[in-house]
Amino acid sequence: MTRSPARDFHRVLAAEVVSNFGAMLSRVAIPWLATLALDASPLAMGALVVADVAAGAVAALVLGTLIDRAGKRAVMVITDLLRAAVLALLAWLAYQDALAMWMLVAGAVASAS
């Protein structure tokens, strides 16, 4: 049976939409947690943004060639699931009142790549 190019495109498009939604959610949720749960200072918020951007740049340089050789769909699914797990863990830690700024920085680094 032959695969339809249109069907393959729709599957990739749907996966990309879900992936982008997760990325946008993490870029909003982590600073929101820092502000609401930790009453973070402007310097801490700046460090959070720098960690997010720097992690994305380093991940693009280091992991780009490795991911290029792997199955794109599998990598996308795994990274989306890991990002969701990181956000759920941060939310749980905030609920338990055990959240610290270093945890949010680590979460931003983990979700940026």
Side-chain angles (χ1 to χ4, degrees), residues 30 48 51-52 55 86 90 100-113:
I30 292 175
L48 195 58
D52 182 38
V86 165
L90 290 175
M101 191 63 187
W102 70 268
M103 295 174 188
L104 289 176
V105 170
V109 167
S111 67
S113 47

Side-chain angles (χ1 to χ4, degrees), residues 37-38 89-104:
L38 300 178
L89 178 63
L90 290 175
W92 182 77
L93 287 168
Y95 177 74
Q96 295 295 319
D97 210 17
L99 192 63
M101 191 63 187
W102 70 268
M103 295 174 188
L104 289 176

Side-chain angles (χ1 to χ4, degrees), residues 35-88:
T35 303
L36 296 178
L38 300 178
D39 196 26
S41 68
L43 182 63
M45 294 296 286
L48 195 58
V49 170
V50 167
D52 182 38
V53 171
V58 170
L61 291 172
V62 175
L63 299 175
T65 56
L66 297 174
I67 292 172
D68 193 41
R69 294 183 178 101
K72 312 296 186 285
R73 184 169 174 232
V75 169
M76 188 182 291
V77 169
I78 290 168
T79 56
D80 287 342
L81 291 174
L82 289 175
R83 182 183 294 125
V86 165
L87 290 177

